[in-house]
Amino acid sequence: MHLSAYSGCLPKVASNTTVFENSNVTDKEAQTVSRQANYSFAICDLSSELMRATKNISFTSLKQLGIRRSEAANADLISFNPLSKTFKLKGKNMEYVMHVDPKTSDLVNVHWGKSGDKPFPLSKYKKMANSSWQSEMDVIPREFPDAGRGDNRTPAIQISTPEGITTSQFEYKGHEIIQGKPELDGLPSLYGDKDKAQTLKVRMYDKAADLELELFYTVFKDKDVICRSSRVINKSDKPVSIEKIASISADFPPDDYKIMKLSGNWANERQEEVVDLKPGNFSISSRFGASGHEHNPYLALYSDKTTEDKGNANAFSLVYSGSFSAEAEQNREKCTRIVMGLNPQAFRWKLEPGKSFQTPECVGVYSSDGLNGLTEQLHHTFKDNLIRSEWKDKERPVLLNTWEASYFWFNHDKIVDMAKEAKKIGAELVVLDDGWFGKKYKRNWDRCGLGDWETNTGKLPKGLNGLADDVTKLDLKFGLWVEPEMVSPKSELYEKHPDWVISQPKRDKTQMRHQLVLDMSKKEVQDYVIDSMSKILDGANIEYIKWDMNRSMTEVGSNALPPDRQMETQHRYMQGLYRVLDTLTKKYPHVLWEGCASGGGRFDPGMLQYFPQIWTSDNTDPLDRLNIQAGTARVYPPIAMGAHVSKSPNPITKRKTDLEFRFDSAMSAGNMGLELDPRKMSRQEKELAKEKIEFYKEVRPVIQNGEYHQLRSPFGKNWSAVQYTKDDASEAVAFAFQKQKQEGGYVPPIKLAGLKENELYKVNDQPEPLSGKRLMSAGIIPKFSKDNDSEVYHIKQVG
Ligand code: GLA
């Protein structure tokens, strides 16, 4: 398409979109277009190399375009230079620059870092290809690398066509700039208003395979975040197989890099682990249908000179709850490529002619303030641009969950009695956990009943409705546990629909926790779940739901799909699940939804879109929780983290801890609740609990909606501390912990953060106020005296 056509097509496109089609742009035409379309780009930012690359266009001719530095400063978040075919995307402090290679029409990354920082020159990359065995493709930083045409690093896309094409060659064809952040169809995604976010859609085309590829990039005015995803459209008349397609691929210049990942297992989720990258391929993944306990869909990449507070760092967080893979590949020159998206070992997609495939999206973050800068950006992005619930900024109620208090053994009166006692100490919501349902197969243990979402009237003679009413009468909210994605083989649902489960022909169905996974890729299963959950929510005054999911997938397959589409099952399951969650959370917007997957087995941004809080771990041991909570808060806002005070000895670790430590540890995570039988607490315990809950409610606005500072990480350390600060720095709460008592040992001071240097603050009931400067430089020395000890500081500005 030529320029006249370009100008002509502008009005036909939605008014919030600007379109550019690739063409042989002449210097003169570009001037006209640039003025007409009011494109602005910074002349000063074009490297001399790029200038040469754009057919020797001189500085003077760029100047003739009449674009001044001042205009560049006020430029949109996304600008395009039609002469050098360079895109510049700006965040708050970062910029992301890429250009179309004039020889290959490939999209090449120029810079992702601090605005104004000098990029690593392309010429230096090119020099790295120094033998006939290595092409330039193998060394230059590419935006969406393909496989098999000279770039031997891990690809972002791999296809296979019926004619036998297994390579791809996507070339730039055009682009659109869209105001705001469009939602992804059927997948969770960030959102952003037109005045705060812009999205670039770059269109690439592979002639031989007749495939179009759309690359999406969104930047936000007030953040250093770039949100990316990709979409393939089959323009040919034959089906194409997508073997691998990433959400993001990013190449970084040579450096000594470290990776931080959040890994663990059940009851030990999201432990921070740091790895020194070496040449070769490093990866984390899940393959079993959930993001999982083992590895969170998150990676941070940073130079070994970067610290918690200083230096460049990047993070990648995938907005997806199923199987994923995150690769970090480093070459001999220490250039590093990150590729993140659906796990190719659990995915393949047959794309019919005319159809498209959209990947999940990945949140890419840049920080020049070290690792803490990444955390700050992620917390704000998830709070401002991901979580959609009405409860997003609302203070969360102190809940009592009945699971560890009574497991499957309860009845109406027991729950009401527990509620009465919980109310006395300050609880605001009572949640009935597993065990309340099943008529033919009563859920009195974990071997039956899942799928039969009807009240067991033996336990609850007044029904859920009657129980909810009796709890609500006590001026408490009532909440309920469900596990809708599962079915027990011993259930009426399975007897009626044995074909509704994930399975493969001729294979035994592996049971885990005596249950099977429903095939959520099937519309009738999705509708069954929507209907049965709606009946529950319509039938009683339920203000909170805990949505659990307690096993991974095995023998993955769907009898609704033909043999050549079986590898689509996992992703189709996720699409089905997201449809169900979208429908239910929109239908019941006032309900506070909490996600759970055997604790924190699906604590990811995909779930966060629907569930504003997630059960962090089945492990409620306050000591273990310090690490689990700190690891989780690296990425996720503390308000999203369920943290409960449970009994001692702890049911999982058998460790004995005192009640004060249990309260302080839970409170320090952000969203505190109880997971014990209040009837069994002694008078002194109840008094302490009441006092602690009262204090928590006082500081809850600061903890849940203030700024999070990890003052001292608990990983590998005996002493840790965390602080929450009110936006205007007039109030803060800090928690300090000691794991083990050390005789005569030195306890390091807790140096506070984010206060106003010259203002005076009172710490707890200390008579003498201290300056913000002193609290941040000299700090506070905790007076620890025993193993598992804690101190809490309430810091208030004086006057
Ligand atoms: C999972 C959850 C627990 C509890 C049980 C009930 O393990 O993580 O919190 O709800 O299921 O069966």
Side-chain angles (χ1 to χ4, degrees):
M1 191 184 276
H2 218 254
L3 279 169
S4 49
Y6 154 68
S7 322
C9 89
L10 260 183
K12 289 190 206 119
V13 186
S15 61
N16 65 347
T17 307
T18 341
V19 183
F20 187 90
E21 296 292 337
N22 194 17
S23 59
N24 295 322
V25 187
T26 67
D27 199 358
K28 192 148 179 281
E29 286 168 326
Q31 290 182 31
T32 323
V33 173
S34 228
R35 285 206 189 95
Q36 278 177 355
N38 202 16
Y39 276 119
S40 21
F41 55 93
I43 296 162
C44 44
D45 290 335
L46 284 171
S47 72
S48 53
E49 196 176 355
L50 282 176
M51 297 282 284
R52 277 198 304 280
T54 54
K55 302 182 202 144
N56 298 322
I57 294 161
S58 67
F59 186 76
T60 325
S61 66
L62 282 169
K63 253 172 129 182
Q64 281 165 4
L65 291 177
I67 292 159
R68 297 186 305 272
R69 262 163 208 262
S70 56
E71 281 182 55
N74 293 328
D76 284 344
L77 297 179
I78 300 175
S79 55
F80 177 64
N81 176 346
L83 300 181
S84 63
K85 296 211 183 105
T86 301
F87 297 95
K88 184 159 147 187
L89 296 85
K90 294 202 319 187
K92 193 173 166 206
N93 301 303
M94 71 156 207
E95 63 189 23
Y96 191 102
V97 185
M98 55 191 174
H99 79 127
V100 180
D101 186 286
K103 274 199 295 199
T104 62
S105 290
D106 191 19
L107 210 51
V108 172
N109 186 274
V110 179
H111 182 51
W112 181 13
K114 197 172 188 165
S115 299
D117 272 6
K118 221 173 147 221
F120 187 81
L122 204 51
S123 54
K124 282 202 176 171
Y125 277 113
K126 288 183 178 170
K127 277 192 193 133
M128 290 173 188
N130 56 7
S131 83
S132 59
W133 282 80
Q134 208 174 15
S135 79
E136 255 178 40
M137 280 280 206
D138 203 22
V139 287
I140 55 169
R142 304 178 65 206
E143 281 297 311
F144 212 70
D146 46 22
R149 291 189 312 111
D151 184 344
N152 296 320
R153 296 166 287 180
T154 188
I157 184 160
Q158 213 151 6
I159 56 156
S160 162
T161 74
E163 298 155 277
I165 299 178
T166 57
T167 56
S168 48
Q169 184 170 350
F170 288 102
E171 296 179 357
Y172 171 77
K173 280 292 155 210
H175 69 269
E176 291 170 28
I177 295 172
I178 303 157
Q179 303 302 326
K181 164 74 177 66
E183 287 183 17
L184 295 192
D185 199 15
L187 288 170
S189 54
L190 299 193
Y191 55 87
D193 290 346
K194 288 180 182 162
D195 57 335
K196 291 202 183 121
Q198 269 187 350
T199 302
L200 169 69
K201 175 163 113 183
V202 184
R203 283 195 304 107
M204 314 284 287
Y205 180 64
D206 180 329
K207 199 167 162 211
D210 204 3
L211 287 179
E212 201 167 279
L213 171 70
E214 292 175 345
L215 300 177
F216 295 91
Y217 299 80
T218 301
V219 275
F220 301 82
K221 208 177 197 165
D222 55 349
K223 305 210 164 57
D224 288 330
V225 161
I226 186 150
C227 179
R228 288 186 52 184
S229 74
S230 52
R231 194 161 87 108
V232 183
I233 305 140
N234 187 355
K235 297 277 183 182
S236 79
D237 54 7
K238 295 182 196 72
V240 170
S241 177
I242 306 173
E243 313 279 316
K244 176 182 185 183
I245 182 157
S247 300
I248 194 168
S249 176
D251 283 344
F252 293 87
D255 205 340
D256 288 317
Y257 285 109
K258 284 183 187 290
I259 287 273
M260 180 184 276
K261 63 192 180 83
L262 302 173
S263 301
N265 44 27
W266 174 76
N268 190 35
E269 296 92 336
R270 290 172 295 285
Q271 303 294 308
E272 284 180 14
E273 287 171 10
V274 175
V275 175
D276 288 322
L277 268 192
K278 297 269 179 280
N281 197 322
F282 167 87
S283 73
I284 54 167
S285 64
S286 80
R287 311 189 171 85
F288 44 76
S291 48
H293 298 87
E294 283 75 13
H295 301 290
N296 202 251
Y298 170 82
L299 277 188
L301 176 81
Y302 52 101
S303 157
D304 69 347
K305 288 166 224 67
T306 296
T307 64
E308 288 285 347
D309 298 308
K310 288 199 185 78
N312 290 332
N314 290 81
F316 304 84
S317 172
L318 191 68
V319 187
Y320 194 60
S321 315
S323 298
F324 75 95
S325 113
E327 301 168 82
E329 190 171 77
Q330 191 169 87
N331 67 12
R332 300 300 314 174
E333 283 78 20
K334 296 186 178 171
C335 298
T336 298
R337 171 173 292 172
I338 300 286
V339 174
M340 199 161 178
L342 296 165
N343 188 339
Q345 289 181 18
F347 168 85
R348 196 181 319 125
W349 199 270
K350 184 174 171 190
L351 195 63
E352 294 289 353
K355 297 279 181 204
S356 63
F357 180 83
Q358 169 68 55
T359 69
E361 63 188 28
C362 185
V363 181
V365 189
Y366 165 75
S367 155
S368 54
D369 301 323
L371 298 173
N372 285 336
L374 293 177
T375 297
E376 194 184 320
Q377 298 279 339
L378 283 160
H379 287 189
H380 285 279
T381 304
F382 292 159
K383 281 173 94 168
D384 300 346
N385 306 94
L386 177 68
I387 302 172
R388 283 157 205 252
S389 164
E390 270 183 14
W391 281 89
K392 191 160 80 113
D393 307 312
K394 277 198 210 160
E395 282 174 44
R396 308 296 163 79
V398 175
L399 67 81
L400 168 80
N401 180 295
T402 60
W403 180 242
E404 287 184 20
S406 68
Y407 300 102
F408 295 101
W409 310 296
F410 58 83
N411 58 25
H412 179 99
D413 291 343
K414 188 172 175 185
I415 301 297
V416 175
D417 285 349
M418 275 199 237
K420 280 182 190 154
E421 290 307 309
K423 171 77 189 168
K424 284 185 200 154
I425 57 174
E428 296 158 313
L429 158 71
V430 168
V431 178
L432 177 59
D433 211 280
D434 200 352
W436 59 268
F437 51 93
K439 275 205 168 341
K440 181 171 171 190
Y441 300 105
K442 296 181 178 38
R443 182 80 171 167
N444 291 328
W445 59 348
D446 63 5
R447 297 188 176 210
C448 66
L450 287 174
D452 300 345
W453 299 109
E454 278 177 282
T455 315
N456 174 350
T457 42
K459 280 176 177 171
L460 305 177
K462 293 176 156 186
L464 275 182
N465 190 23
L467 180 60
D469 282 351
D470 284 353
V471 169
T472 321
K473 268 186 222 147
L474 300 169
D475 192 23
L476 287 163
K477 293 178 194 297
F478 178 71
L480 195 67
W481 176 97
V482 290
E483 195 181 355
E485 297 160 66
M486 299 289 153
V487 65
S488 307
K490 274 196 180 170
S491 68
E492 292 185 69
L493 182 68
Y494 190 67
E495 283 173 353
K496 219 160 135 194
H497 297 290
D499 56 329
W500 272 14
V501 295
I502 293 281
S503 63
Q504 287 199 353
K506 298 186 182 173
R507 292 262 176 248
D508 288 345
K509 298 175 187 64
T510 303
Q511 290 185 28
M512 288 183 187
R513 212 189 184 210
H514 316 285
Q515 63 198 55
L516 299 170
V517 184
L518 283 175
D519 183 356
M520 298 293 288
S521 74
K522 287 184 166 185
K523 173 95 176 13
E524 64 264 41
V525 176
Q526 297 163 24
D527 290 343
Y528 172 77
V529 172
I530 293 171
D531 285 354
S532 46
M533 292 305 114
S534 298
K535 272 190 201 126
I536 294 171
L537 283 160
D538 292 339
N541 185 9
I542 295 167
E543 296 179 79
Y544 161 106
I545 287 282
K546 176 176 172 188
W547 182 292
D548 209 342
M549 196 284 277
N550 279 315
R551 63 157 288 181
S552 55
M553 290 182 196
T554 52
E555 297 88 31
V556 182
S558 169
N559 52 34
L561 295 171
D564 61 346
R565 285 190 179 273
Q566 287 300 311
M567 289 292 279
E568 296 175 16
T569 309
Q570 286 204 17
H571 186 60
R572 287 186 185 273
Y573 178 102
M574 290 316 304
Q575 289 176 321
L577 174 63
Y578 287 140
R579 176 184 162 246
V580 168
L581 297 183
D582 193 53
T583 309
L584 286 170
T585 52
K586 281 184 180 148
K587 192 168 170 194
Y588 302 98
H590 308 316
V591 169
L592 172 57
W593 298 83
E594 175 156 343
C596 176
S598 303
R602 217 167 46 178
F603 206 127
D604 58 59
M607 282 294 133
L608 214 51
Q609 161 155 339
Y610 310 98
F611 301 148
Q613 59 189 57
I614 301 178
W615 182 223
T616 313
S617 175
D618 275 347
N619 185 347
T620 51
D621 179 312
L623 185 68
D624 288 356
R625 272 294 187 123
L626 294 180
N627 284 10
I628 296 170
Q629 291 166 179
T632 308
R634 266 282 169 208
V635 180
Y636 304 97
I639 192 172
M641 240 196 294
H644 298 176
V645 176
S646 63
K647 62 190 168 215
S648 173
N650 183 272
I652 289 180
T653 63
K654 313 291 178 236
R655 185 182 283 120
K656 285 187 185 161
T657 49
D658 66 36
L659 190 58
E660 180 149 30
F661 183 67
R662 278 179 271 149
F663 264 103
D664 293 347
S665 166
M667 219 183 281
S668 75
N671 191 339
M672 189 187 82
L674 306 167
E675 186 109 6
L676 40 68
D677 189 343
R679 298 171 313 161
K680 295 186 180 155
M681 293 169 96
S682 68
R683 198 164 52 84
Q684 288 96 320
E685 281 179 329
K686 279 185 192 160
E687 270 164 24
L688 178 64
K690 197 168 171 230
E691 209 178 281
K692 283 283 176 189
I693 294 173
E694 244 167 51
F695 172 73
Y696 172 67
K697 285 181 183 167
E698 191 189 334
V699 293
R700 181 166 53 183
V702 180
I703 293 186
Q704 297 197 338
N705 283 315
E707 205 59 56
Y708 168 88
H709 304 270
Q710 194 191 93
L711 300 176
R712 184 179 282 275
S713 161
F715 288 99
K717 304 209 182 86
N718 195 35
W719 297 284
S720 61
V722 61
Q723 180 190 329
Y724 296 92
T725 314
K726 202 169 163 180
D727 283 353
D728 64 0
S730 63
E731 189 181 353
V733 198
F735 300 85
F737 300 98
Q738 165 169 281
K739 292 178 180 170
Q740 276 187 329
K741 183 182 177 185
Q742 294 194 357
E743 275 316 323
Y746 155 83
V747 178
I750 302 302
K751 294 183 186 173
L752 301 183
L755 303 178
K756 291 177 267 191
E757 287 203 344
N758 300 324
E759 294 297 335
L760 290 175
Y761 293 88
K762 236 184 127 184
V763 180
N764 296 340
D765 48 11
Q766 257 186 4
E768 280 304 304
L770 297 169
S771 72
K773 190 172 180 184
R774 173 139 179 221
L775 288 166
M776 292 192 289
S777 55
I780 305 170
I781 302 186
K783 295 182 188 66
F784 293 132
S785 59
K786 53 184 191 295
D787 289 354
N788 303 327
D789 208 352
S790 53
E791 286 210 342
V792 183
Y793 312 103
H794 191 186
I795 301 122
K796 281 193 202 153
Q797 191 181 325
V798 185

